[in-house]
């Protein structure tokens, strides 16, 4: 399907039997999410909610590489660099959509095949029926671009067993099917080759019955065998102490995690740790999204987001110059500024 200017439509909508189907259709951009896509998805959900012929909703990604690699961070980089407010408007509608997905009255089935990161997690992991495959790579990698997990990511990670969520939040590590299930980011494993068959079955039968009938055990993951040192190390009060504990562990994977953390934005790391810890006490997804909106808006005006995207996406030199450059230079006051109120007219308010 083409838009009026001849470009491929970035998101496609169809009905297949009982299923309302959303297909993210930017495969060359790994189905990165834009503001217009968010608005159109919200409109479709409204329409299908009132349509008795649509029994459940399915979201999937076009192409073979993944569901969605996240928001269009190059656009966010350009907006931040120009001092604009387009990203704030995007996040406001995106976070509303995340909350809507979590409360959607009909089964919302997400095919989390391939790469599912950032905004892709927000579009899928709040759904009621979340399917991963042997190709799934699920991550919230924001600390590597000078940002903080959002789209309800801190809510999801805060609810993961033990300190697994803290580990994923700080390192930005991508997990496969078994570990996504362990962390509560997915519900069922289905081989990728069977997804077309699963989709066809959904057209005529209830979502929960269909997915359960297709589901099976995934290949073993990595995190279950690392729970001991993950829970022990990441329970520390500060990022500095977490890194010290990881470095002192005998498992090479722990030392590798320490090195990975030290490559991320020091400010993002400290704000992320605070955000995940605070999310545990906020309870509902809505309250966490409101906190994330504050943090995201403040991050838009901080130097590390522009620098992180420049290094990873724009120039691709992979050598970000963080400011401050060391964990010890990031003060408690620096962290607290990310959680400061935005003012009554700018705050995100979710019912």
């Amino acid at each position: 399907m083409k838009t009026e200017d001849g470009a491929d439509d970035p998101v496609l909508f169809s009905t297949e039997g009982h299923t309302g189907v959303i297909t993210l259709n930017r495969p060359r951009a790994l189905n990165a999410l834009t503001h217009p896509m968010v608005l159109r998805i919200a409109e479709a959900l409204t329409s299908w909610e009132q349509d008795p012929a649509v029994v459940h909703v399915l979201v999937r990604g076009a192409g073979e590489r993944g569901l969605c690699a996240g928001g269009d961070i190059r656009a966010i980089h350009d907006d931040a660099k120009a001092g604009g407010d387009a990203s704030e408007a995007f996040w406001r509608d995106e976070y509303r959509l995340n909350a809507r997905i979590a409360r959607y009255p009909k089964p919302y089935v997400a095919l989390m095949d391939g790469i599912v990161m950032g905004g892709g997690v927000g579009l899928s992991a709040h759904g009621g029926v979340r399917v991963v495959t042997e190709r799934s790579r699920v991550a919230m990698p924001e600390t590597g671009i000078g940002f903080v997990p959002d789209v309800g990511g801190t809510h999801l990670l805060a609810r993961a067993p033990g300190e697994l969520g803290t580990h994923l939040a700080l390192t930005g590590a991508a997990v496969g099917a078994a570990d996504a299930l362990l962390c509560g980011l997915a519900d069922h494993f289905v081989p990728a080759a069977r997804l077309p068959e699963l989709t066809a079955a959904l057209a005529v039968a209830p979502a929960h019955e269909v997915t359960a009938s297709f589901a099976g055990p995934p290949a073993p993951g990595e995190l279950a065998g690392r729970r001991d040192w993950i829970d022990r190390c990441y329970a520390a009060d500060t990022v500095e102490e977490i890194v010290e504990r990881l470095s002192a562990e005998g498992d090479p994977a722990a030392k590798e995690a320490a090195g990975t953390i030290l490559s991320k934005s020091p400010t993002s790391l400290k704000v992320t740790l605070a955000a995940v810890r605070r999310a545990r006490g906020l309870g509902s997804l809505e309250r966490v999204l409101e906190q994330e909106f504050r943090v995201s808006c403040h991050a838009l005006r901080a130097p590390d987001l522009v620098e992180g995207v420049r290094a990873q996406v724009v120039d691709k030199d992979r050598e970000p110059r963080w400011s401050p450059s060391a964990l010890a230079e990031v003060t408690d006051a620096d962290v607290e500024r990310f959680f400061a109120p935005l003012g009554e007219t700018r705050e995100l308010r979710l019912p």
Side-chain angles (χ1 to χ4, degrees):
M1 186 179 296
K2 301 287 185 180
T3 58
E4 291 180 1
D5 63 3
D8 288 329
D9 197 328
V11 57
L12 307 176
F13 304 95
S14 61
T15 53
E16 299 179 13
H18 296 313
T19 312
V21 181
I22 302 166
T23 305
L24 305 185
N25 191 39
R26 300 183 68 206
R28 284 179 291 182
L30 266 170
N31 299 318
L33 204 56
T34 65
H35 196 174
M37 291 168 69
V38 165
L39 295 176
R40 292 187 60 201
I41 292 168
E43 289 173 4
L45 291 180
T46 297
S47 174
W48 287 334
E49 186 174 342
Q50 306 302 322
D51 186 347
V54 175
V55 177
H56 40 243
V57 171
L58 174 78
V59 61
R60 63 189 180 187
E64 297 293 320
R65 297 168 65 198
L67 171 66
C68 175
D72 190 337
I73 58 174
R74 185 182 286 265
I76 293 170
H77 164 275
D78 294 346
D79 182 49
K81 200 170 181 180
D85 57 8
S87 298
E88 187 170 323
F90 167 53
W91 289 325
R92 186 181 298 276
D93 288 324
E94 184 182 25
Y95 299 178
R96 284 173 174 160
L97 178 61
N98 301 146
R100 177 108 184 260
I101 289 167
R103 307 293 183 211
Y104 201 62
K106 299 180 179 183
Y108 181 99
V109 183
L111 301 186
M112 301 171 70
D113 184 35
I115 292 174
V116 186
M117 297 184 178
V121 172
L123 202 60
S124 59
H126 299 300
V129 185
R130 305 163 300 174
V131 177
V132 284
T133 75
E134 72 280 3
R135 304 189 300 199
S136 295
R137 302 300 294 165
V138 185
M140 296 298 295
E142 287 77 8
T143 55
I145 58 166
F147 196 46
V148 177
D150 67 333
V151 298
T154 59
H155 175 75
L156 294 165
L157 295 173
R159 297 171 67 184
E163 294 294 337
L164 291 175
T166 310
H167 169 66
L168 297 184
L170 296 183
T171 62
V175 296
D179 289 334
L181 292 167
L182 173 64
C183 292
L185 300 173
D187 305 300
H188 303 286
F189 169 79
V190 176
R194 298 199 71 191
L195 293 183
E197 189 183 349
L198 169 64
T199 301
L202 286 169
V204 296
H208 290 283
E209 292 180 14
V210 169
T211 50
S213 70
F214 277 80
E222 298 176 345
L223 295 180
R226 299 173 180 174
R227 277 291 303 277
D228 184 52
W229 61 257
I230 286 175
D231 289 352
R232 183 171 58 251
C233 295
Y234 288 94
D237 291 333
T238 67
V239 179
E240 290 95 326
E241 188 177 351
I242 289 171
V243 171
E244 288 176 9
R245 292 186 184 186
L246 289 169
S247 300
E249 284 290 330
D251 190 333
K255 298 181 188 300
E256 182 181 348
T260 297
I261 290 171
L262 290 174
S263 72
K264 311 299 184 182
S265 157
T267 300
S268 293
L269 290 167
K270 290 201 171 183
V271 175
T272 293
L273 181 62
V276 171
R277 297 271 164 89
R278 295 182 190 203
R280 289 174 178 166
L282 288 173
S284 73
L285 171 63
E286 287 80 4
R287 301 294 80 79
V288 176
L289 284 164
E290 290 167 354
Q291 172 177 274
E292 289 179 349
F293 185 74
R294 285 183 178 180
V295 172
S296 296
C297 290
H298 289 301
L300 193 67
R301 308 299 173 211
D304 278 2
L305 177 57
V306 169
E307 174 59 15
V309 179
R310 178 208 65 75
Q312 298 296 336
V313 178
V314 180
D315 296 337
K316 299 182 180 179
D317 59 28
R318 307 290 192 266
E319 294 183 3
R321 296 181 289 275
W322 306 122
S323 178
S325 61
L327 286 167
E329 297 171 10
V330 182
T331 68
D332 290 345
D334 293 333
V335 173
E336 202 60 37
R337 276 193 284 273
F338 283 79
F339 297 90
L342 298 168
E344 193 59 36
T345 60
R346 289 178 62 203
E347 294 282 5
L348 176 65
R349 304 291 186 195
L350 295 171

